[in-house]
Amino acid sequence: MSGPFGLPMPLLTDSYKASHFALYPDAQRAVAYAEFRHSYEKDAEDERMVFYGIRYVIEHYVCRPWTVQDVDVAEAFFSTHNAGFTPFPFPKALFLKFIAENNGYFPVRIEALPEGSVVYPHTPVLQIVAEHEYSPLVTYLETVLLMTWYPSTVATLARRARTAIADAYQKSVDDDMAWTLNSRMHDFGFRACTCVEQSMLGGAAHLLSFEGTDTLSAAFFVQHRLNAGRPVATSIPATEHSVMTAFASERQAMERLLRTFGDGVVACVMDSYDYTRALAEVLPAIAQLKLDRGGVLVIRPDSGDLVDVVLQGLRAADSVFGSDVNSKGYRVLRGVSVIQGDGVTPRTLRQIYDATLAAGYSAQNVAVGMGGALLQKLNRDTMSMAIKLSSITYADGSTRDIMKFPRAGSSKVSLPGEFAVCADPGQAGAPVAYRAVDAPDSGDGNQLKIVYDHGPVSGMSWDCFDDVRRRLNDQWARFPPRANAVSPSLLAHQKAVHDDQAKHVYEGAAFA
């Protein structure tokens, strides 16, 4: 099979889509687009989101030539897939046609915004065009293309977390230590993922905003597949509970850690038995060894109230190793810090840093590790990604821009037409959607670029990960938290299309 995991390519879609070739009206051309219908968890104050992951989907699921064998295997499968284990309809003839005439490449054109682009609700992030006899296949790839929801959502979560930590840094960290922000949120999520592929995609999305990760699959994938071998991620030696309890005492375990790796940065989990006693008794006992080794010790609690145990760790470390007051009036521990990796979410992260500053300690003393909340506790509805048909040119040559506007679901209203996305200088360059025919000529033009055109795009190269990071850093800092992401001309067109379609609905023509 030419598909991933031994799957035939025609099966990389939802079952019902295989029947749509026979259900769409006869057409010369069809256009569909993708958008996020609302901001991260419907945040009304900061609607910025990150579009990321289209490269992976194109390279691994779209830009693969189909084969006759794929179709033969799919046909055998579909022969019993309908209700009652009867044959299920699928466009065998169309598949065989483009396999013979197009070297097996799926016959659509796909445009997308650059990786790492900052977008808003209803920004078209990708657009699909199918023509001639292949028009009914316009949404066949929707299933795999929509999977960009996952890395986009993780990338957005991580960037929002960085923004929250950066706020604490701005208040409490001296400029010469601002670089430590890059390591303040560590990816602990590998084991929380459902598969290795998920860890690679989600872990890569996290690395757009931070450098710290224990998800080796993502660190390697990004460095060697997306960044020409240049490193992007780091971690440190650290103990786990199994290591700590393997020794007769926690002191022995910490001494082994410090003797072995204590000249660098190391982390030690300290709640295997009694976190409070470990801080009070073990930490002073290993203090001289730690000082002799000269590195940095990171204390890790892993149970209890997630804010209180951080403050406990800070105060215990301050008592044993001391601290200095920086230029902003906050205490900076001497060669010690705390990392909280238990129960960290975007909400609790803010609580941790707020409490740290309220206790008089600089934010640079505290890092967080996020696992399940980073890579697993989110879904497509977190930012409501969707793909919808937006324009169709019928067999008679007439074009109809169309939209969805369910009476009981106003949040699912879509945009009509074929689109361009252009930077708006009046909104610091934020992306604004236009009808393609109305797009302004000035500026950098349409930001939707062709990433697939009935096969690989000649001469096209993807941005390296470093450049994607730079794009995200620049746009997130420059774009406003909220923007008018749909141009007045497109809003007017949407209203006109809505009114026309609504008339058909109210008069009953849509149901005739």
Side-chain angles (χ1 to χ4, degrees), residues 280-294:
E281 300 177 25
V282 180
L283 199 61
I286 57 86
Q288 190 58 52
L289 175 59
K290 187 268 174 200
L291 293 172
D292 291 344
R293 296 295 287 141

Side-chain angles (χ1 to χ4, degrees), residues 251-252 254-260 262 284-295 321:
R251 175 176 177 172
Q252 292 176 7
M254 291 192 74
E255 288 174 343
R256 171 66 69 87
L257 172 68
L258 292 169
R259 289 195 182 102
T260 307
I286 57 86
Q288 190 58 52
L289 175 59
K290 187 268 174 200
L291 293 172
D292 291 344
R293 296 295 287 141
F321 297 102

Side-chain angles (χ1 to χ4, degrees), residues 67-316:
T67 66
V68 173
Q69 183 189 19
D70 285 326
V71 178
D72 289 344
V73 173
E75 182 176 30
F77 172 81
F78 279 128
S79 68
T80 57
H81 189 56
N82 210 342
F85 299 100
T86 57
F88 197 96
F90 80 106
K92 176 181 177 181
L94 286 177
F95 291 166
L96 292 175
K97 182 177 175 61
F98 74 72
I99 289 171
E101 297 179 359
N102 199 42
N103 297 317
Y105 287 106
F106 200 84
V108 296
R109 184 178 79 243
I110 300 172
E111 301 168 302
L113 293 180
E115 291 273 56
S117 293
V118 174
V119 300
Y120 299 88
H122 306 302
T123 302
V125 295
L126 65 86
Q127 188 163 244
I128 313 161
V129 178
E131 296 182 308
H132 309 305
E133 66 268 44
Y134 300 119
S135 296
L137 300 182
V138 64
T139 53
Y140 199 88
L141 300 180
E142 174 183 353
T143 307
V144 292
L145 290 171
L146 269 182
M147 290 179 180
T148 53
W149 77 261
Y150 175 69
S152 295
T153 307
V154 175
T156 302
L157 186 162
R159 180 52 54 156
R160 288 167 63 90
R162 184 183 175 96
T163 300
I165 300 172
D167 289 344
Y169 257 58
Q170 191 277 326
K171 297 172 184 174
S172 68
V173 178
D174 285 346
D175 291 345
D176 63 348
M177 295 303 295
W179 60 272
T180 59
L181 174 61
N182 292 329
S183 62
R184 289 308 86 182
M185 190 168 94
H186 207 83
D187 175 4
F188 283 175
F190 200 164
R191 67 189 60 185
C193 294
T194 58
C195 63
V196 173
E197 187 181 32
Q198 182 189 7
S199 74
M200 289 165 49
L201 288 170
H206 162 81
L207 290 172
L208 287 173
S209 293
F210 295 98
E211 295 174 355
T213 186
D214 262 31
T215 302
L216 285 172
S217 58
F220 182 90
F221 171 69
V222 172
Q223 178 174 334
H224 292 286
R225 299 291 182 265
L226 305 181
N227 209 43
R230 293 182 297 275
V232 297
T234 63
S235 189
I236 59 173
T239 67
E240 64 179 3
H241 292 104
S242 294
V243 170
M244 300 301 290
T245 57
F247 286 85
S249 72
E250 286 189 306
R251 175 176 177 172
Q252 292 176 7
M254 291 192 74
E255 288 174 343
R256 171 66 69 87
L257 172 68
L258 292 169
R259 289 195 182 102
T260 307
F261 300 117
D263 57 345
V265 183
V266 296
C268 186
V269 64
M270 296 191 67
D271 74 327
S272 295
Y273 307 113
D274 187 326
Y275 179 64
T276 301
R277 285 193 66 182
L279 291 175
E281 300 177 25
V282 180
L283 199 61
I286 57 86
Q288 190 58 52
L289 175 59
K290 187 268 174 200
L291 293 172
D292 291 344
R293 296 295 287 141
V296 175
L297 173 64
V298 183
I299 297 168
R300 180 164 76 92
D302 197 47
S303 56
D305 182 274
L306 58 89
V307 174
D308 289 346
V309 293
V310 169
L311 298 181
Q312 267 189 276
L314 292 172
R315 289 168 178 147

